[in-house]
Amino acid sequence: MPEVRIEESTRFMVDSLKAVGTPESEAKAQTDMLIHADIVGHVSHGLNRLEFYINDIITKATNPNGKPMILKETAATAWVDGADALGATVGNYCMDVAIRKAKENGIGFVTCKRSNHFGMAGYWALKAEKQGLIGMAFTNSSPLLVPTRAKEAALGTNPISLACPAGNGDNLVVDLASTAVAMGKIEIQIQKQESIPPGWALGPDGKTTTDAQLAFDTSRLLPLGGFEETSGYKGYALSALVEVLCSGLSGSRSSPNICPWEVAGNYEPTDLGQCFIVINPECFAPGFTERIAQCLHHWRNMEPVDPALPVLAPGDKERITAEMNHSKGTITYAQKQYERYANMAKRIGVKPLQAV
Amino acid sequence: MPEVRIEESTRFMVDSLKAVGTPESEAKAQTDMLIHADIVGHVSHGLNRLEFYINDIITKATNPNGKPMILKETAATAWVDGADALGATVGNYCMDVAIRKAKENGIGFVTCKRSNHFGMAGYWALKAEKQGLIGMAFTNSSPLLVPTRAKEAALGTNPISLACPAGNGDNLVVDLASTAVAMGKIEIQIQKQESIPPGWALGPDGKTTTDAQLAFDTSRLLPLGGFEETSGYKGYALSALVEVLCSGLSGSRSSPNICPWEVAGNYEPTDLGQCFIVINPECFAPGFTERIAQCLHHWRNMEPVDPALPVLAPGDKERITAEMNHSKGTITYAQKQYERYANMAKRIGVKPLQAV
């Protein structure tokens, strides 16, 4: 599979976004968001998504020059209009507001409507973590999650994320879809031409399938927990919780009304709802980072069932992958993805991605 | 199985708490919390828990006269010392502070240390919902959840809850343990002398068991999602998220250091950490309750796989059970539980619970 230097993948994404009219600052911001996903190993949410964003700009569903603005605020809250701008433009705007409010008042709670896909939720939580704060980020998305007992999808993969510092550069990062898996994981299995485990998705007959392409085409994911007997209604409820914070508060579309995200580009604004929460640990008990460090130490040093599979703290898998990718300086992309981007480069007139 | 009138169960719980030195107001508050669980059908968290609380007062682990106080605050946040008071005393204090701050500043974010078990998390979220606000409540607890790949438990069942109004008396209530199930569900299976489904808990051999008594004795619950293949690490991460908000911010004990809750009473304060968040929808987009009502309507009217099992919205199961219990006016208790409380009544000198 093609290996691409991180700088080259970054160059390609910035060039592509600029070629369709994105200002340089926003192209760089969007690329930083995408390359983060590639580096931490969630390649479904990295370069893999670039063509969706590019086509959404071409079809005018996304406005790369959109300027988010506050519609209503208190010392600790803000309601934001995302102006159909790129996900990173909206995310940076909202997170900056939430961080400022948290520094001044202990907490910043921001919701926005008229946003677009903002990549990995955890990327936004980490933006606050880098400043010594607790960050949380949530988004709704088009219907993929099948509520317990139902036949059809009616909620998004609606992720929940939290990141916080643990001292000495260490941290704890929670970032999870409220479905058993995110759709991107199924796409990656298709690209690898591999099957999926039972319990991830339903086929058209309403039964769990192991055929990745069939699962992708059917687009009906099981909630976290799986079937009712194993508490799948909890994943459904978590997705509903995200809907309350995102569309409920912001007035964006709710998941059942969001158009599926097509690689060819959508023809109307996506109008996602998102929620960003920042908490300042200094407003609570002293010693926050030390306590988080103790928890991480405890979990990482537990005896594993299989000595070859050590117990990880939430976020460790991504940290290990990022260290590996940074040390080799490259990201591995699937061959099909690499070819897809050669075509896109030709179409929009940018220098193609160069593998090493 | 014995049927007990709601008023009689309430009378018995208030009498019992007063008999061991609880002021009347706090005995009533604690009872309201417990009877709520019985009425909505989570009987593990109702009368079933009374003896634990009574014995914790007798052994002085809990101080029924404890007065919670604010240690540090901003306009939107507060750090509270729960003073080892009863869970309901601490919960009411913290939620009242959070509600006041949310009404004034859009959000109230409160964490406390030195608290005790506060029953169903959703009970506290509903306290804000009744005032037209969004309520959230979280607590840590003694180690029961086995982190993915580990052999032993290292986190509590650490529940997540959210309640919000949907207009015309309707609401959405999310209330879930971050384990596949709460321990109380296993206790109830023991009382019913029934087995548990695979995927709930591990036996001493580290493999999933269906023996309820063995699962209870081993006390190793799988996280929501189950094993690693079905994303059990997400339930583990959610439990860690709750730990950050509860012990991380408040400075209480973290889950690995919390003593198991024994019916015989603990001999040192439990020092639980809890977090209460209240959000005022009026600070965001107009029409919040209408949007939530639309979501509820959509989910409830979806075509079910099995026509006998309608699709429910989060919280509907509890609402249906509560309506049934209110209309018959009684709660059904397991025979063993009823007998246990006859013994306790004798021991502490109160009039025993009378079945109808």
Side-chain angles (χ1 to χ4, degrees):
Chain A
M1 293 201 289
E3 290 283 321
V4 179
R5 290 200 61 78
I6 294 170
E7 295 75 15
E8 167 61 3
S9 186
T10 302
R11 190 277 309 160
F12 177 72
M13 292 202 254
V14 172
D15 279 359
S16 299
L17 287 160
K18 283 169 69 181
V20 293
T22 309
E24 181 153 12
S25 62
E26 302 316 306
K28 283 184 173 169
Q30 185 81 3
T31 298
D32 192 67
M33 174 189 102
L34 294 169
I35 204 82
H36 169 81
D38 279 338
I39 290 171
V40 302
H42 288 263
V43 292
S44 58
H45 283 54
L47 174 68
N48 182 51
R49 289 267 184 261
L50 178 67
E51 197 172 3
F52 290 76
Y53 293 108
I54 294 288
N55 289 341
D56 273 350
I57 293 171
I58 293 173
T59 58
K60 299 197 189 320
T62 296
N63 175 7
N65 294 293
K67 299 267 179 256
M69 61 178 285
I70 293 175
L71 297 173
K72 202 190 276 189
E73 68 180 318
T74 70
T77 67
W79 174 38
V80 168
D81 180 345
D84 301 321
L86 279 162
T89 302
V90 182
N92 279 315
Y93 182 86
C94 292
M95 253 328 216
D96 286 343
V97 170
I99 287 168
R100 176 170 54 76
K101 288 178 185 283
K103 285 185 177 173
E104 289 169 4
N105 302 290
I107 183 159
F109 187 104
V110 178
T111 69
C112 68
K113 62 175 180 173
R114 293 179 66 203
S115 188
N116 279 293
H117 293 267
F118 70 7
M120 287 181 70
Y123 173 81
W124 300 104
L126 279 164
K127 194 171 153 82
E129 182 274 341
K130 283 174 192 145
Q131 302 205 30
L133 304 163
I134 304 172
M136 299 179 81
F138 311 82
T139 183
N140 72 357
S141 48
S142 58
L144 284 171
L145 180 151
V146 180
T148 306
R149 302 183 176 180
K151 284 186 172 174
E152 302 282 342
L155 281 152
T157 55
N158 293 11
I160 293 172
S161 67
L162 176 145
C164 65
N168 300 315
D170 198 5
N171 57 23
L172 183 156
V173 186
V174 171
D175 187 4
L176 53 96
S178 49
T179 44
V181 293
M183 203 66 185
K185 287 216 178 171
I186 294 176
E187 288 175 71
I188 295 301
Q189 294 303 100
I190 294 171
Q191 286 173 5
K192 287 191 199 164
Q193 301 185 307
E194 289 178 10
S195 67
I196 60 168
W200 281 18
L202 302 179
D205 58 357
K207 290 182 184 151
T208 188
T209 180
T210 58
D211 180 331
Q213 188 65 52
L214 187 67
F216 183 81
D217 294 340
T218 314
S219 290
R220 292 184 203 158
L221 300 177
L222 283 169
L224 175 60
F227 293 101
E228 188 164 356
E229 309 82 79
T230 46
S231 305
Y233 50 85
K234 293 189 182 185
Y236 164 32
L238 288 168
S239 193
L241 179 153
V242 172
E243 206 63 46
V244 170
L245 299 180
C246 294
S247 68
L249 285 173
S250 77
S252 73
R253 289 189 194 198
S254 61
S255 283
N257 303 311
I258 296 169
C259 297
W261 203 20
E262 306 285 356
V263 68
N266 286 355
Y267 284 86
E268 52 181 314
T270 314
D271 190 14
L272 297 186
Q274 288 156 354
C275 180
F276 304 85
I277 308 174
V278 180
I279 305 153
N280 185 351
E282 287 188 9
C283 293
F284 300 91
F288 174 79
T289 53
E290 291 79 1
R291 282 190 295 281
I292 302 302
Q294 280 165 14
C295 282
L296 295 177
H297 180 83
H298 183 93
W299 299 327
R300 288 170 180 158
N301 289 281
M302 291 183 80
E303 189 187 351
V305 174
D306 177 349
L309 295 172
V311 180
L312 301 174
D316 281 357
K317 196 176 171 194
E318 289 73 17
R319 183 179 300 105
I320 293 163
T321 306
E323 281 165 8
M324 192 190 72
N325 282 329
H326 276 302
S327 91
K328 70 187 172 93
T330 59
I331 297 160
T332 311
Y333 292 114
Q335 182 64 34
K336 277 194 178 178
Q337 196 179 127
Y338 186 74
E339 288 163 13
R340 178 153 71 92
Y341 281 104
N343 291 333
M344 191 193 81
K346 201 176 295 175
R347 177 162 62 92
I348 64 172
V350 301
K351 186 182 148 201
L353 195 63
Q354 296 291 322
V356 289
Chain B
M1 293 202 290
E3 290 283 321
V4 178
R5 290 199 62 77
I6 293 170
E7 295 75 15
E8 167 62 4
S9 187
T10 301
R11 190 276 309 160
F12 176 72
M13 292 202 255
V14 172
D15 279 1
S16 299
L17 287 159
K18 283 169 70 182
V20 293
T22 309
E24 182 153 12
S25 63
E26 302 316 307
K28 283 183 173 170
Q30 184 82 0
T31 297
D32 192 67
M33 174 190 102
L34 294 169
I35 204 85
H36 169 81
D38 279 338
I39 290 171
V40 301
H42 288 263
V43 293
S44 58
H45 284 55
L47 173 69
N48 183 50
R49 289 267 184 263
L50 178 68
E51 197 171 3
F52 291 75
Y53 292 107
I54 294 289
N55 289 340
D56 273 350
I57 292 171
I58 292 172
T59 58
K60 298 197 190 321
T62 296
N63 175 7
N65 294 293
K67 300 267 180 255
M69 61 179 286
I70 292 175
L71 298 172
K72 202 189 277 188
E73 68 179 319
T74 70
T77 67
W79 174 38
V80 168
D81 180 347
D84 301 321
L86 279 161
T89 303
V90 181
N92 279 315
Y93 181 86
C94 292
M95 251 329 212
D96 286 343
V97 170
I99 287 169
R100 177 170 52 77
K101 288 178 186 285
K103 284 183 178 174
E104 289 168 4
N105 302 291
I107 184 159
F109 187 105
V110 178
T111 68
C112 68
K113 62 175 180 174
R114 293 179 67 203
S115 189
N116 279 292
H117 293 267
F118 70 8
M120 287 180 70
Y123 174 80
W124 300 105
L126 279 165
K127 194 171 153 82
E129 182 273 342
K130 283 174 192 145
Q131 302 206 28
L133 305 163
I134 303 172
M136 299 180 82
F138 310 83
T139 184
N140 71 358
S141 48
S142 58
L144 284 171
L145 181 151
V146 180
T148 305
R149 300 183 177 181
K151 284 186 173 174
E152 302 281 342
L155 280 152
T157 54
N158 293 10
I160 292 171
S161 67
L162 175 145
C164 66
N168 300 315
D170 198 6
N171 58 23
L172 184 155
V173 186
V174 172
D175 187 3
L176 53 96
S178 49
T179 44
V181 293
M183 203 66 185
K185 287 216 178 171
I186 296 177
E187 288 175 71
I188 295 301
Q189 294 303 101
I190 294 171
Q191 287 173 4
K192 288 190 198 167
Q193 301 186 307
E194 289 177 11
S195 68
I196 61 169
W200 281 18
L202 301 179
D205 59 356
K207 290 182 184 151
T208 188
T209 179
T210 58
D211 181 330
Q213 187 64 53
L214 188 67
F216 184 80
D217 294 342
T218 312
S219 291
R220 291 184 204 160
L221 300 176
L222 283 169
L224 175 61
F227 293 101
E228 187 164 358
E229 309 84 79
T230 46
S231 306
Y233 50 86
K234 293 190 182 187
Y236 163 33
L238 287 168
S239 193
L241 178 153
V242 172
E243 206 63 45
V244 170
L245 298 180
C246 294
S247 67
L249 284 173
S250 76
S252 72
R253 291 189 193 197
S254 61
S255 282
N257 303 311
I258 297 169
C259 296
W261 203 20
E262 306 285 355
V263 68
N266 285 355
Y267 283 86
E268 51 180 315
T270 313
D271 190 13
L272 298 186
Q274 288 156 354
C275 179
F276 304 85
I277 307 174
V278 180
I279 305 153
N280 185 351
E282 287 188 10
C283 293
F284 301 90
F288 175 79
T289 53
E290 291 78 3
R291 283 191 294 281
I292 300 303
Q294 280 166 14
C295 283
L296 296 177
H297 180 82
H298 183 92
W299 300 327
R300 287 170 181 157
N301 288 281
M302 292 183 78
E303 190 186 352
V305 175
D306 177 348
L309 295 172
V311 180
L312 301 174
D316 281 358
K317 195 175 172 197
E318 289 73 17
R319 182 179 301 105
I320 293 163
T321 306
E323 282 165 8
M324 192 190 69
N325 282 329
H326 276 304
S327 90
K328 68 185 172 98
T330 60
I331 298 159
T332 310
Y333 293 114
Q335 182 64 33
K336 276 195 178 177
Q337 197 180 127
Y338 187 74
E339 288 163 13
R340 178 154 70 93
Y341 281 105
N343 291 333
M344 190 193 82
K346 202 177 293 174
R347 176 162 62 92
I348 64 172
V350 300
K351 186 182 149 200
L353 194 62
Q354 296 291 321
V356 289

